Each structure stands twice: as structure tokens, then as C-alpha cells.
């Protein structure tokens, strides 16, 4: 037989795109459209429905960036359409940006009831399954003109810089007959076509499908009218669709999903509306398909619906009760898991799990984190302690250098706890059951020969509306189809139970799940990082003193205030807010929110401390009481306690400062630090052991500039080659001594003030040594005027080690400081909380910080002539 495969495949693609799909809504009449542009921020639904609308036409421009336009849609069903399925088909001017990243709308009935959303892949609203001729149609659309954004550095990233010009243009606004038979034909055709293209040209099944599809097109071509010929064409395809899957076919558990970033390329207020649109869409789809199951994580997002759209929330609760709408995740938001502190990470689970239990009576069992930027080694114990059993993510498939060796495995954390874990081999949390996705799932699955099943989350995310009726149609056809994996729609709990039974002796992965990507998020937007750290500390202190005051003095514990503030901080630990990977609008709001949170927490702390201090009787002059929230004694004040100022223990040996050779020597009897004329630490000697911490010829507090030009994602990524180019900032404009105090025993601390100017920026530092402190403090203020530049502080330490240790939640994690393997080399930028430590037997040095998370540890050995090798 002549090989005409390529020609026929082209013919098939054109037939689907140009003849079959357009025939679904072939019969149509225009709708009457009116519009009203809401000034400023979105308005309540009731206001939008009663607004003064004006006529508009197809082709008219609408919507400034981040604006809201309300459309009123009217029409009448033609008499000849009586008894047929009728839909409103509305194209708001959708672009190629994809669902969730452009214009969106929520459709309402005149009584303010939400129906469903409009998105690029769901442009229809069902008017009637069997319409009556002359039936009047009246709908309202709350349309958001969210701009397309290519990365976070853009004028479109904030209302104030995005301009006022309309960015969309209305297209089709019609009332149309929905031809069910043509739609079913399109689904039959597309599933077979996509399957065919994934099969080998040596596989007879590919050729069988090719010839079958060709015969179906011949039927359509011969008859001309797609609608009349659709039943006959479907009959031609029926045999190919009836061929069952192989007994050994991979098994897929599929669950509807719509991953919605709680903020990212849109502000928080828009996420509230995205969630309402998506949940309206999926509950409407559930009414039409009782077998459809949808999983939604992030308690915060459901809480938003409850607060802002109670009628939508009532629909969600109804579908939760039927088992179609499945809460998963167990966390308040899908948080970053590297940077949140111990208590905050635990609170993500306690607040999330409590919401699901109190609202739905459900104890969620799956921790659902498909999109966070790596996963802390402390998570397994938190998952299990939260009474969850399973863990799911997908993001590790994005790693730059090394392919993770498992898709189903036991993940072991820092305390030995193990949790059964799955990475969907489909490599997306926005699947749509394309032939390419299904074939990739089978090829990619790492557990072949040992396990037989995987999970596929399907649906458009980020406000794109979630699953579509077309996805469900494909899933039905893929349930048992030769050449494809078997697909079954079911809850995640069903998948995990089957996967565990299928593969109980899965391999074990020990330690963190490090993502070899997005390393810049440990550092981006320093004000957000500082706000998070400070808020975490203040929350702990507010709870400590409030609880103590409540027990000892009857102080009214501020439960509601602290609960609200905790939830605000937890929300801002979302994996695009705390990492700094969002647009300017999000970062600006986060900065303001943290300021408000910290101010309110300081008020709470002050109220509790005043209650504990009472009238100050027994205190020193002025009635001063000194409190210590640290878990260890400080300055004569016991841990977690307070004493009158007069009762504090004697001051430690005072620190001294002497000047020498243009530099300065700081000494407090515990540590002796030499700062040279450049403002660099050239010696840091432990006075107790005599050990020098700075490597010979090296220095500490060396500020360095690197180019910040990653291949992708300025806010997300730091690529390893940034270290190829470095500029050491050794010139100082000012190196002068300073003293804190004085006290009765001498200065409270001595220090050196260093000022450096470079390019258009300025850094002011104070290197301070306090009396009785075994450490050097460095306070740094940066007036940063640079772009695409990294500023780092380097410390050349005289320690021989092959690893670093750093704080993570409820413990610490070790990471290699060498590059023996590609896995080691990939960890050139790592996350640490308050400290990172390098040590050898009997000696170590730590760098402690109050607000940053990104670190790198690089080994270098010196020559034998300089002494013993170091690293």
C-alpha cells in the first residue's frame, strides 16, 4: 500500500478544526449586549446588577488593566429551536495567553445566583436542555480584564503603572444551538486522533485508527452537512473506540483539579474572585456529570468563598456531601515549605485541618502540594503528626540537572518518620487527557515492573475554570481503550489506597526534596522575608506573654486577634508571596500587611507585659521590669520570665575598642575581632580556645556583587554561572569606631561603622561586639539602586568540613559542601533559617541571621605551605 500517512494526518487535523468543531454551535443569533465599567476596585454583585448599562457591540474594546466590566446579555430563543439544547456562546476577546492568565468572567442570573465562569476553554453557558421557542434569556457577566503578564517585572504588575487603555475586544456574543451529536463526534475523533499520533508507525493499531478516521471524514465530506452526517461518522468510529485496553495497561486514577495560586500574577483580591469562578464552574459541571470528582486544597480559598460568596459556598458544601467535591491538602495555603518557621509550618496544618473538619466534617488524609519550590525534610513528621497519611507533589519534575528516580516512594524525614508519597508521572497538575500526556505518563513512570498505577490531576488552574466537559468526555473514552492507559475518575484517597496496596515495599528517599530550580526565591524581595521572620517571632512572643498573663493575672487572652493574625501570616507564606515571585502589586501589599501585623502584635505584647508587670513594685527606680522571651537566660533574666531591673545579675566584663593601623580591635574577653582599614574582618579569635575562625589571607564581612542574569525568571532563579563573575567591595568611604552605652561598667557594646558606596547604591554597617556575647553582630542597611545584581556577604572560615548544617523546622539538615556528584553540585544555593554552621570535630563556626534564607557554602583548600588544609 502506498504510504500516504502524512497527507491523511493533515487532512484529519483540518477536518476536526475546520469542519467538525465549528459545527457544534453552527446555528446562532446575536445577543444584545450592554456594559458598565466599575470604577476602581470590584463592586458587590448587587451593585453590579443594578448599574447603569450602555449598549456595546461585538468588536468593541473594553477593560483597562485590572478593571471590572459588567455586561448585561439579552436574547430570545428562535421558535424553530424549540426542543433543542441552547447555549449562550461568549468570547470576551480571549487571547493566546491561556486560561487563568487573561480575561475571565463569572455569569449570574438576574437574582444574583452565580452559574459558572467564562474562560478561553469554556465560552458557553447552557440556557436550556430543551428550549422553548420565544424563551427570553437574561444573563449578567462580571468580567475581569486581567492583563497578560510575561514575568513579574512589567508595568502591568500594578494598578498604578498599568495604564487606562482597554486591553480586550469583544468577539462572539451569540445565542446558539448546541449540537450534541456533533460535539460527541468531535470527542470521538479527537481521542482517536491523539492516540494515533502517539503510537509507533510500526504498530498496526496506528494504521487501523488512521484508516478508520479517514473513512469517517469521507462520510462527512460526502454528506456536506456535519450535523446530519455526525451519527453515521460516529458509527464508523465506534469499532475503533470499542477495542479494549491491554491487560497490562498502566492504570490512571484521575481527579479534577484547578491549582489556584493564592497570589502570583494577580493580587489577593483577584484570587478571591478566581476561586468563586472556578468553584461555580465545577459545581455546575458536577450537576451535569455525577461521576465527576474534583479535589481542592487550601482552606484559605474555601474560607474566602464562605466570606465573600456564601451562595457559591453553599453549592460547594452540597457537593462535598455527595463526595464529588473533595477537600484535600490539610494546609491553610499551599505554602512554601523551606522558609516558614517551625511553629508556622505546624500552624499551616492545624488551621487547615481544623477548617476542613469544622466546615465539612472531613479529616483530610492527603497533603497536596504540587507547586511549592522544594520540600523541607521536616515535612514527613508534620504530615503524620497532623493525622495525614499521604503526600503528593509534582514540582520536583522541574529540576534542572537530575531526574528524580521515583514516582511512588516512602519519604523519610529528619526524625525517621516516613510518609507514602507520589509524584504524578504525567508531569503536570493541569492535565487535560491529551494523547501526548497519556503516552508521556506511561513512558515516564519510573516504577514500571514493580507498580502499575499513577494519579493524574486534570483541569485548568489559576482561574482557568478547572476541568471541562471535553476533558470528562476524553476520560470516559480512555477508560478502556486499546493503546492507551486505563483511566478512572476517583478521589485521591482511592488512588493512594490502591497504590499503597500495589506497592507497599516502595523505595525510601531520605531527607529534603530539593528542587534544582527557583533558588533565587530564598532571597528575592527582602522586605517580605524580614516581615515573615519578624511576624513569626512576634506571634510566638504575643502568645507566650498573653497566656502567661491570662494564667497569672486573669488577663483576657486575645484569641480572636491572634487567630486572625496567624491566618494572615500563614496566607503570606503562600509559595508565590513569601518567595517573592509575584508581581509588584502583591509585594507592595505584603509589605504593608506585615507592617500592620507587626504593629498590632507589638500592641498585644505590650498589653500582656503591662498586665504582668503590674504597678512595678519591687522594681528599680521608675518601676522597670525586664522580660526575656528567649528559651535561655539572658542578661540576668531567666528564660521565659521577667525580673525587676534592679534584680538583674552583675554586668559581664565590658567590651573594649582600640585602634591600630587604620583598623580597630574589638575585645570582650570571649571574642577578639580585628577590623582592618577596609572594614573587613581579618581576624575573629575565640579567646577561650585560642582558635582563629578566619582563614589565613581571608576575611569576613566581604560584600560581593554578582551578575543576576538567569536564563529564566529573574525573581525565581539563580543559575550556577553567576559565580563566574564577582566584584569584591573592598573600598570604604568610612571606617569609624562607635560605642553603645555607656553603662556603670562601661559601654554596652563597641563597634565599627563602615560605609560603602558603589555604583548607585550605599551600604552602611555597624560591626558590634557586646559585653558577654560570644559573637560579632553586623547590622546592615542597604540603599539598593541596582538591577539584575546579587549582593552577598562572604566569610572565609578556617574549618575543614565536607558539609554544612542549618536550621529547618524542628531540627536541622546537613547538606554537602562538595560537588562530588551532580546531585551535590546542584545544591549551590540552599535554604537555611536562623543559622548555618560548618564544623570539624571539636570546633565550628555559625553565621546567624535575622531575616534572610539564601546561602551558599563553597569549599576551598589552601596550600600545604600555609598550614593544614582547610575548607
Amino acid at each position: 500500500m502506498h504510504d500516504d500517512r502524512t497527507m491523511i494526518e493533515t487532512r484529519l487535523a483540518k477536518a476536526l478544526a475546520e469542519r467538525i468543531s465549528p459545527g457544534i454551535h453552527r446555528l446562532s443569533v446575536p445577543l444584545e449586549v450592554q456594559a458598565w465599567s466599575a470604577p476602581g476596585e470590584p463592586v458587590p454583585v448587587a451593585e453590579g446588577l443594578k448599574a447603569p448599562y450602555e449598549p456595546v457591540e461585538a468588536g468593541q474594546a473594553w477593560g483597562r488593566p485590572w478593571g471590572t466590566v459588567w455586561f448585561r446579555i439579552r436574547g430570545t430563543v428562535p421558535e424553530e429551536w424549540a426542543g433543542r439544547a441552547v447555549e449562550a456562546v461568549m468570547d470576551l476577546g480571549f487571547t493566546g495567553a491561556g486560561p487563568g492568565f487573561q480575561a475571565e468572567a463569572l455569569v449570574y442570573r438576574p437574582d444574583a445566583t452565580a452559574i459558572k465562569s467564562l474562560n478561553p476553554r469554556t465560552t458557553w453557558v447552557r440556557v436550556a436542555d430543551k428550549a422553548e421557542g420565544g424563551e427570553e434569556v437574561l444573563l449578567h457577566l462580571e468580567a475581569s480584564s486581567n492583563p497578560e503578564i510575561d514575568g513579574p517585572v512589567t508595568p502591568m504588575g500594578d494598578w498604578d503603572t498599568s495604564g487606562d487603555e482597554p486591553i480586550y475586544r469583544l468577539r462572539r456574543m451569540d445565542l446558539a444551538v448546541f449540537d450534541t451529536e456533533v460535539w460527541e463526534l468531535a470527542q470521538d475523533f479527537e481521542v482517536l486522533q491523539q492516540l494515533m499520533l502517539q503510537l509507533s508507525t510500526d504498530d498496526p493499531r496506528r494504521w487501523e485508527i488512521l484508516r478508520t478516521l479517514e473513512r469517517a471524514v469521507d462520510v462527512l465530506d460526502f454528506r456536506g452537512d456535519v450535523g446530519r452526517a455526525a451519527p453515521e461518522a460516529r458509527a464508523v468510529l465506534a469499532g475503533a473506540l470499542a477495542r479494549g485496553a491491554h491487560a497490562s495497561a498502566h492504570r490512571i486514577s484521575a481527579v479534577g483539579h484547578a491549582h489556584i495560586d493564592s497570589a502570583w500574577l494577580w493580587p489577593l483580591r483577584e484570587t478571591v474572585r478566581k476561586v468563586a469562578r472556578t468553584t461555580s464552574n465545577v459545581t455546575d459541571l458536577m450537576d451535569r456529570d455525577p461521576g465527576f470528582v474534583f479535589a481542592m486544597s487550601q482552606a484559605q480559598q474555601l474560607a474566602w468563598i464562605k466570606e465573600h460568596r456564601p451562595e457559591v459556598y453553599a453549592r460547594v458544601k452540597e457537593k462535598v456531601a455527595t463526595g464529588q467535591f473533595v477537600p484535600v491538602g490539610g494546609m491553610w495555603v499551599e505554602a512554601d515549605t523551606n522558609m516558614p518557621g517551625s511553629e508556622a509550618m505546624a500552624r499551616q496544618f492545624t488551621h487547615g485541618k481544623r477548617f476542613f473538619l469544622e466546615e465539612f466534617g472531613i479529616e483530610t488524609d492527603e497533603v497536596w502540594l504540587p507547586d511549592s519550590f522544594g520540600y523541607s525534610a521536616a515535612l514527613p513528621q508534620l504530615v503524620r503528626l497532623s493525622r495525614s497519611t499521604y503526600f503528593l507533589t509534582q514540582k520536583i519534575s522541574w529540576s534542572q540537572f537530575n531526574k528524580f528516580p521515583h514516582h511512588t516512594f516512602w519519604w523519610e524525614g529528619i526524625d525517621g518518620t516516613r510518609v507514602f508519597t507520589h509524584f504524578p508521572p504525567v508531569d503536570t497538575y493541569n492535565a487535560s487527557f491529551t494523547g501526548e500526556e497519556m503516552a508521556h505518563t506511561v513512558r515516564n513512570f519510573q516504577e514500571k515492573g514493580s507498580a502499575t498505577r499513577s494519579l493524574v490531576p486534570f483541569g485548568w488552574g489559576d482561574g482557568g475554570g478547572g476541568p471541562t466537559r471535553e476533558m470528562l468526555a476524553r476520560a470516559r473514552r480512555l477508560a478502556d481503550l486499546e493503546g492507551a492507559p486505563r483511566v478512572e475518575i476517583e478521589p485521591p484517597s482511592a488512588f493512594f489506597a490502591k497504590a499503597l496496596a500495589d506497592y507497599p515495599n516502595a523505595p525510601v528517599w531520605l531527607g529534603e526534596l530539593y528542587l534544582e530550580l527557583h533558588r533565587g526565591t530564598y532571597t528575592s524581595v527582602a522586605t517580605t522575608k524580614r516581615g515573615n521572620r519578624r511576624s513569626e517571632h512576634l506571634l510566638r512572643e504575643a502568645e507566650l506573654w498573653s497566656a502567661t498573663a491570662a494564667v497569672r493575672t486573669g488577663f483576657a487572652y486575645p484569641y480572636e486577634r491572634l487567630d486572625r493574625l496567624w491566618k494572615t501570616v500563614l496566607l503570606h507564606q503562600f509559595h508565590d508571596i513569601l518567595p517573592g515571585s509575584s508581581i509588584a502589586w502583591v509585594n507592595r501589599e505584603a509589605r504593608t500587611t506585615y507592617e500592620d501585623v507587626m504593629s498590632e502584635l507589638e500592641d498585644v505584647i505590650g498589653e500582656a507585659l503591662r498586665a504582668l508587670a503590674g504597678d512595678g513594685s519591687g522594681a528599680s527606680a521608675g518601676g522597670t521590669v525586664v522580660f526575656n522571651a528567649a528559651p535561655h537566660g539572658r542578661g540576668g533574666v531567666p528564660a521565659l520570665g521577667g525580673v525587676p531591673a534592679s534584680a538583674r545579675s552583675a554586668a559581664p566584663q565590658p567590651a573594649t575598642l582600640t585602634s591600630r593601623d587604620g583598623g580597630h580591635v574589638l575585645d570582650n574577653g570571649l571574642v577578639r575581632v580585628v577590623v582592618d582599614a577596609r572594614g573587613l574582618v581579618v581576624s575573629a579569635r575565640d579567646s577561650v580556645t585560642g582558635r582563629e575562625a578566619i582563614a589565613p589571607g581571608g576575611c569576613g564581612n566581604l560584600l560581593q556583587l554578582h551578575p543576576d542574569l538567569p536564563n529564566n525568571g529573574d525573581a525565581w532563579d539563580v543559575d550556577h554561572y553567576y559565580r563566574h563573575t564577582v566584584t569584591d567591595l573592598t573600598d570604604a568611604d568610612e571606617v569609624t569606631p562607635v560605642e553603645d552605652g555607656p553603662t556603670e561598667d562601661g559601654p554596652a557594646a563597641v563597634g565599627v561603622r563602615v560605609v560603602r558606596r558603589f555604583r548607585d547604591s550605599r551600604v552602611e554597617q555597624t560591626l558590634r561586639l557586646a559585653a558577654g556575647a560570644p559573637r560579632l553582630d553586623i547590622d546592615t542597611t542597604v540603599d539598593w539602586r541596582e538591577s539584575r545584581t546579587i549582593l552577598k556577604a562572604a566569610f572565609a572560615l578556617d574549618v575543614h568540613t565536607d558539609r554544612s548544617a542549618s536550621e529547618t523546622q524542628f531540627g536541622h539538615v546537613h547538606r554537602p559542601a562538595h560537588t562530588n556528584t551532580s546531585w551535590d553540585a546542584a545544591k549551590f544555593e540552599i535554604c537555611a533559617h536562623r543559622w548555618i554552621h560548618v564544623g570539624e570535630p571539636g570546633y565550628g563556626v555559625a553565621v546567624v541571621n535575622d531575616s534572610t534564607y539564601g546561602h551558599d557554602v563553597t569549599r576551598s583548600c589552601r596550600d600545604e605551605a600555609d598550614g593544614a588544609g582547610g575548607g
Side-chain angles (χ1 to χ4, degrees):
M1 181 178 290
H2 300 298
D3 186 358
D4 57 355
R5 176 181 57 82
T6 302
M7 178 181 292
I8 301 306
E9 288 174 357
T10 301
R11 181 192 179 201
L12 299 178
K14 287 175 64 67
L16 179 61
E18 298 176 10
R19 296 186 59 79
I20 301 174
S21 295
I24 296 171
H25 291 113
R26 185 176 60 87
L27 298 176
S28 64
V29 294
L31 285 161
E32 176 190 328
V33 185
Q34 297 175 305
W36 173 72
S37 295
E41 286 295 284
V43 300
V45 175
E47 183 178 343
L49 295 177
K50 296 177 181 178
Y53 290 83
E54 296 182 355
V56 296
E57 298 179 354
Q60 188 162 328
W62 70 277
R64 64 145 288 167
W66 303 115
T68 300
V69 175
W70 283 80
F71 293 101
R72 180 185 290 158
I73 312 296
R74 296 181 185 272
T76 303
V77 176
E79 294 291 343
E80 60 270 25
W81 291 2
R84 304 190 70 175
V86 174
E87 296 182 339
V89 181
M90 294 169 282
D91 185 340
L92 300 176
F94 296 125
T95 69
F101 299 93
Q102 55 174 292
E104 307 167 27
L106 184 54
V107 185
Y108 299 90
R109 298 184 180 91
D111 65 358
T113 302
I115 305 173
K116 66 181 292 292
S117 65
L118 288 182
N119 296 283
R121 302 296 187 274
T122 52
T123 60
W124 57 273
V125 175
R126 180 60 61 92
V127 171
D129 294 330
K130 292 184 178 180
E132 296 182 8
E135 180 178 346
E136 295 296 321
V137 177
L138 176 59
L139 301 171
H140 292 80
L141 313 183
E142 182 189 15
S144 303
S145 50
N146 300 336
E148 298 178 29
I149 291 183
D150 181 16
V153 184
T154 166
M156 289 294 178
D158 205 331
W159 176 281
D160 296 333
T161 58
S162 58
D164 297 318
E165 292 300 314
I167 56 176
Y168 291 100
R169 193 172 296 276
L170 289 179
R171 290 203 185 101
R172 184 177 186 181
M173 304 293 281
D174 290 346
L175 200 61
V177 171
F178 176 75
D179 193 320
T180 304
E181 198 68 18
V182 175
W183 183 84
E184 295 285 2
L185 172 61
Q187 313 317 309
D188 292 346
F189 199 97
E190 186 172 56
V191 166
L192 285 173
Q193 179 197 39
Q194 292 183 357
L195 170 62
M196 173 192 70
L197 294 175
Q198 297 302 315
L199 298 174
S200 168
T201 54
D202 296 328
D203 190 335
R205 174 69 164 158
R206 176 166 181 152
W207 291 91
E208 175 206 4
I209 295 174
L210 178 77
R211 298 307 176 195
T212 301
L213 290 170
E214 183 181 22
R215 290 195 298 273
V217 171
D218 289 342
V219 169
L220 295 174
D221 285 347
F222 178 75
R223 297 297 179 94
D225 186 330
V226 174
R228 286 202 306 267
E232 186 177 350
R234 292 196 69 202
V236 172
L237 300 179
L241 286 166
R243 297 277 291 273
H246 298 302
S248 60
H250 183 71
R251 295 179 179 272
I252 287 175
S253 296
V255 62
H257 183 50
H259 172 75
I260 302 177
D261 288 303
S262 290
W264 179 30
L265 304 182
W266 47 85
L268 286 167
R269 65 92 152 147
E270 193 57 29
T271 313
V272 175
R273 300 203 292 176
K274 284 175 177 283
V275 173
R277 296 182 199 117
T278 296
T279 51
S280 296
N281 214 44
V282 298
T283 53
D284 178 75
L285 198 54
M286 287 170 185
D287 287 340
R288 305 178 187 284
D289 191 331
F292 170 42
V293 177
F294 177 82
M296 183 171 176
S297 65
Q298 305 195 71
Q300 170 69 86
Q301 295 187 358
L302 291 162
W304 277 333
I305 310 174
K306 180 182 179 182
E307 178 184 357
H308 297 283
R309 298 308 310 270
E311 80 286 0
V312 175
Y313 190 65
R315 290 276 288 145
V316 168
K317 294 195 76 169
E318 170 193 331
K319 296 303 182 183
V320 170
T322 67
Q324 285 185 272
F325 196 112
V326 182
V328 294
M331 297 175 69
W332 189 246
V333 295
E334 289 185 9
D336 177 90
T337 73
N338 288 309
M339 291 179 281
S342 302
E343 184 65 21
M345 201 74 253
R347 297 292 180 111
Q348 288 286 352
F349 288 95
T350 56
H351 282 282
K353 298 275 286 192
R354 181 183 301 139
F355 181 90
F356 293 132
L357 189 61
E358 291 179 350
E359 292 294 319
F360 308 119
I362 291 176
E363 184 77 64
T364 55
D365 206 27
E366 312 85 17
V367 174
W368 187 279
L369 281 174
D371 191 33
S372 294
F373 308 152
Y375 303 91
S376 161
L379 268 183
Q381 63 180 318
L382 291 170
V383 171
R384 294 298 295 272
L385 289 170
S386 72
R387 297 183 64 184
S388 296
T389 308
Y390 307 113
F391 182 80
L392 178 137
T393 184
Q394 183 271 323
K395 197 73 169 188
I396 299 299
S397 68
W398 290 35
S399 284
Q400 284 179 315
F401 302 112
N402 299 283
K403 181 179 176 65
F404 196 80
H406 313 296
H407 283 110
T408 302
F409 59 98
W410 290 97
W411 180 22
E412 182 175 328
I414 56 176
D415 72 332
T417 298
R418 293 181 179 180
V419 59
F420 193 70
T421 300
H422 182 68
F423 292 171
V426 69
D427 280 349
T428 180
Y429 41 83
N430 299 310
S432 57
F433 296 117
T434 65
E436 183 178 3
E437 288 173 350
M438 296 298 94
H440 177 75
T441 297
V442 176
R443 288 193 298 264
N444 190 42
F445 188 51
Q446 300 279 76
E447 322 304 323
K448 287 189 285 284
S450 298
T452 63
R453 62 180 65 245
S454 65
L455 185 139
V456 169
F458 67 95
W460 298 108
D462 286 325
T468 66
R469 60 187 177 186
E470 288 78 17
M471 293 178 192
L472 294 174
R474 292 181 205 130
R476 285 193 294 271
R477 287 159 175 80
L478 291 168
D480 187 15
L481 182 61
E482 182 185 357
R486 297 177 185 268
V487 174
E488 181 179 6
I489 293 178
E490 58 186 352
S493 58
F495 160 74
F496 275 109
K498 292 176 181 177
L500 180 57
D502 186 41
Y503 201 28
N505 297 317
V508 175
W509 180 269
L510 174 64
E512 69 179 328
L513 297 171
Y514 179 90
L515 178 64
E516 298 173 1
L517 197 69
H518 296 350
R519 303 170 185 85
T521 59
Y522 309 146
T523 306
S524 293
V525 191
T527 52
T528 299
K529 306 296 194 290
R530 187 164 63 90
N532 175 73
R533 182 77 66 81
R534 181 65 176 154
S535 296
E536 287 183 343
H537 287 186
L538 289 174
L539 278 163
R540 174 190 170 275
E541 193 166 341
E543 291 187 328
L544 166 67
W545 299 129
S546 294
T548 304
V551 171
R552 296 192 176 183
T553 73
F555 177 76
Y557 188 84
Y559 175 84
E560 288 77 14
R561 291 179 76 183
L562 291 174
D563 185 73
R564 171 175 49 81
L565 291 166
W566 259 118
K567 288 174 179 174
T568 300
V569 172
L570 296 180
L571 165 60
H572 285 76
Q573 291 177 341
F574 178 75
H575 65 252
D576 279 307
I577 302 179
L578 177 54
S581 49
S582 292
I583 56 173
W585 190 339
V586 176
N587 297 329
R588 170 174 55 81
E589 284 192 335
R591 182 170 60 251
T592 301
T593 298
Y594 280 126
E595 290 171 356
D596 293 342
V597 166
M598 290 186 287
S599 176
E600 186 170 357
L601 285 171
E602 286 168 350
D603 289 344
V604 171
I605 292 167
E607 292 166 9
L609 291 179
R610 282 189 290 273
L612 285 167
D615 60 5
S617 59
S620 61
T624 302
V625 179
V626 181
F627 291 90
N628 174 24
H632 53 81
R634 292 192 301 175
V637 185
L640 311 179
V643 298
S646 58
R648 298 172 69 183
S649 59
Q653 175 182 332
T656 63
L657 184 150
T658 56
S659 299
R660 186 181 68 185
D661 300 329
H664 307 279
V665 179
L666 316 178
D667 195 338
N668 65 0
L670 298 175
V671 178
R672 181 179 182 274
V673 176
V674 178
V675 180
D676 71 4
R678 302 170 298 171
L680 303 179
V681 177
V682 294
S683 174
R685 186 172 296 276
D686 184 335
S687 301
V688 177
T689 66
R691 178 70 182 252
E692 172 62 56
I694 301 297
C699 60
N701 191 43
L702 174 62
L703 300 182
Q704 298 180 313
L705 298 178
H706 299 272
D708 184 17
L709 298 167
N711 286 339
N712 297 290
D714 285 7
W716 286 268
D717 292 332
V718 172
D719 288 334
H720 69 280
Y721 52 75
Y722 85 91
R723 294 183 294 185
H724 295 174
T725 305
V726 60
T727 301
D728 293 339
L729 301 181
T730 56
D731 294 334
D733 296 271
E734 181 181 336
V735 180
T736 56
V738 295
E739 290 188 357
D740 292 349
T743 69
E744 294 179 359
D745 302 294
V750 296
V752 177
R753 180 171 177 265
V754 181
V755 177
R756 304 183 195 279
R757 291 179 177 85
F758 55 93
R759 299 179 185 172
D760 297 320
S761 299
R762 180 179 184 273
V763 175
E764 180 177 331
Q765 295 182 298
T766 301
L767 287 70
R768 183 179 286 107
L769 188 64
R775 68 179 188 274
L776 175 70
D777 293 332
I778 304 175
D779 295 331
T780 303
T781 301
V782 183
D783 181 9
W784 187 249
R785 308 279 177 167
E786 313 304 315
S787 64
R788 297 192 167 183
T789 302
I790 299 172
L791 174 65
K792 288 205 169 192
F795 298 86
L797 303 176
D798 191 19
V799 177
H800 179 66
T801 186
D802 62 359
R803 66 178 187 172
S804 66
S806 57
E807 182 188 30
T808 189
Q809 299 94 354
F810 300 106
H812 56 270
V813 60
H814 292 100
R815 298 184 179 97
H818 55 74
T819 57
N820 282 2
T821 70
S822 58
W823 295 84
D824 303 326
K827 296 180 180 179
F828 56 83
E829 188 80 6
I830 55 178
C831 183
H833 286 190
R834 293 171 296 186
W835 54 265
I836 188 164
H837 173 272
V838 289
E840 60 190 43
Y843 182 76
V845 181
V847 175
V848 183
N849 74 84
D850 71 346
S851 62
T852 193
Y853 297 89
H855 300 76
D856 73 85
V857 180
T858 304
R859 298 174 77 249
S860 60
C861 290
R862 61 180 185 266
D863 294 337
E864 292 283 338
D866 294 332

